[in-house]
Amino acid sequence: MRGSPGWQTCAVSALAQAGEPGERGSLRPIELATGAVLGGTTVGLVTVGSVVPLAAGLQMIAAVPIALIAHRCRFRALATASLAATLVTFVAAGVMPALALVATATMGGIVGSVKRRGGGIVTVFALTLVAGLAWAAVAIGALAALSTTRNLVFDNIRNLSRGVQELAARQAQLEPLGRMAADLTDSVLRWWWAWIGGSVALGVVTTGVFSWYVLGSVLDRLAWLPGRDPLDASRDDRPAGPLPVTLRGVGFRYPGAARAALHDIDLTVDVGEFVAVVGHNGSGKSTLTRLLAGMPPTTGTIQRPGSAGLGRVGGTAVVSQRPESQTLGVLVADDVVWGLPPTAAAEVDVDHLLHEVGLTGMGAVETATLSGGQQQRLAIAAALARRPALLIADEATSMIDPDGRRELVALLATLPKRRPMAVVLVTHHEADAQAADRVVHVAGGRAVGRLPAWPRPTRDPRRRPMGEPILELHGVKHTYNPRTPWEAPALHGIDLSVRCGEALLVVGGNGSGKSTLAWVMAGLLRPSSGRCELRATPVAEQIGRVALAFQHSRLQLQKPTVAAEIADWGGYATGSGTTGRALDDVGLDRSLAARSIEELSGGQAKRVVLAALVASRPQVVVLDEPLAGLDPRGRADIVDLLARLRDSGLTLIVISHDIADLAAVCDRTVRLQSGRIVAPESGPGTTPVPTGRRVSRVPEHDARHIEHGGH
């Protein structure tokens, strides 16, 4: 919710007040987040549907997010989200849209709640009948109390009846229709409360039954979406006291899992310590993080003097590998104190905290303009505002450049020396653990003595020559929010030519403009000035010819299964053999086709995105940070995959800060700094077809020459 608009901010605030920690039955974090996001979506749909001509159909769609809240959360979350959304809609659009939202919430709430409890059409009929009678009573009471409105309604009925009678009088055979209209009008005006009340009740019941079949089927199709909070813990009413924390013989098995994620973990963390937990993807590191944050184990014991106090002042704070998902405030200073009670927020020295984490003087900066490293620092400042006794950084260094990673680790290492707290850094980078007081190595869910070193790729010779230029950029500049107080230049006159079949590496630190360049080359952003052309035609007019793999692969996977995702991108039936061939192309077993998207590891998700991209038959593929968040083995596997795709003749543009690994497969390197190409393009312009070998492996310590520019 980075840079969230005003109505969304109000909705979140109202929900937060309804779920203050310490109140009995307060909203859980997942309910708060679900209610805020989906309630805000409902506000947007209802408001736009009310004020924009020809957009009234959006009000019908608005029942879906409300129904999802009712389907996933307790009634109190539905009620709070509906109330907050109604208030925001009233302020933004007026009385009638607010009433429309209440009606939407009624239908969506009934259908979602019945689905959640396993009910059927009989239950829906009974509940909608009660709701219909309630709405009928409201309508009758309003007309009885508001005489002017009642008279206006009656006048409309009389005018309609008079019009029907006049039309019927023109044809002799229609005169009975005119008399019937006159008689009906007299009855309606005499017994208006019965007619209007009955019509309202019948309309609500009919709409509810119809919604059960239509909206209910939508909820069934969305059942695969994740709705569980991975950090949700059992209720603990003790005061926050997470340290010292001692784990004895701790294990954890997720519901429905074939095997445990953790086994026999013994660990103690006390005040003043900086502990690093190191392991490859899937080793159990994140599960250990959740246990330290308060999730109860399935075996063993965890002892603390108080509750874990996740998110509470003096408790536990977690900083994740995706800081933008934790950013809520529009401005940096707002985000630091977001969610704190007013009294606690007033005690926070925001300027001092920002200085402490290396963001001096940036309180008035918009959070949407921060680089990845700056976002991580902001997340740490927001965590420190809660004066945590335990700070857990879960892969917080995985998405930032090497210099930023070293600076962030140095910052984390100093915190326990300056504050009464402990820091646990979870990472798969051995270098990040060098500053720690203790290192815990995790493999296969168990604590081990040392992780085996994984070899890194060396130079892979090209097997076919490159062709003519296919993608060309001339004087490309791009500025976000131009001609506003929030204007943010990102690119400054980029000139670049990419040849058919080439593998180009674009490197640079966080905030250098790499991701903006990727979106421009994919045609998803039109440059503010200059030209970006694919075969002499603007890329923005050929969406899909240049495919883009996002840094966060999960954001591109929208279907429930791997097969459905690949088929959707490729435009063919799910059961066709093309899905299997696409999986073969990226080195995935065909049995993975039936796997749920939610069950994929980080490396598997990246490969599935690549399989889907290849299935869409693009001319160029742009990969934004393809190695981000992967352990050494996963990184090596992706490099191998890129080598195979390059050898197949596909043009690759790799956006990354990982020179050492990706130089093994790329023909040349372009370096960006502050939105400019700052060094000459390196590497040969054309590489002849060699007779060579596939990507080979060398130990990590033998690859240091690559890090210093060796190709």
Side-chain angles (χ1 to χ4, degrees), residues 171-245:
Q171 298 289 336
Q173 61 269 32
L174 295 180
E175 288 184 1
L177 177 62
R179 289 193 297 271
M180 184 184 302
D183 293 340
L184 180 62
T185 300
D186 290 339
S187 175
V188 169
L189 295 180
R190 183 180 304 110
W191 304 98
W192 65 267
W193 55 270
W195 280 95
I196 292 178
S199 299
V200 171
L202 179 61
V204 171
V205 172
T206 303
T207 303
V209 173
F210 176 78
S211 298
W212 171 252
Y213 292 105
V214 176
L215 185 55
S217 64
V218 173
L219 293 178
D220 290 339
R221 297 191 65 177
L222 296 177
W224 64 276
L225 290 173
R228 182 181 57 85
D229 182 4
L231 290 174
D232 199 13
S234 56
R235 188 176 181 86
D236 189 342
D237 293 324
R238 295 180 297 168
L243 293 179
V245 56

Side-chain angles (χ1 to χ4, degrees), residues 168 175 184 204 228 254 305 322 341 412 439-440 445 538 540 618 632-633 690:
E175 288 184 1
L184 180 62
V204 171
R228 182 181 57 85
Y254 289 98
R322 290 186 54 195
L412 293 173
V439 180
V440 178
R633 177 174 182 172

Side-chain angles (χ1 to χ4, degrees), residues 41-42 109 171 200 242 244 352 404 422 492 532 608 644 665 681 702:
T41 303
T42 305
Q171 298 289 336
V200 171
H352 176 74
H492 307 273
C532 179
V608 169
R644 290 200 300 274
V665 70
E681 300 174 5
D702 289 335

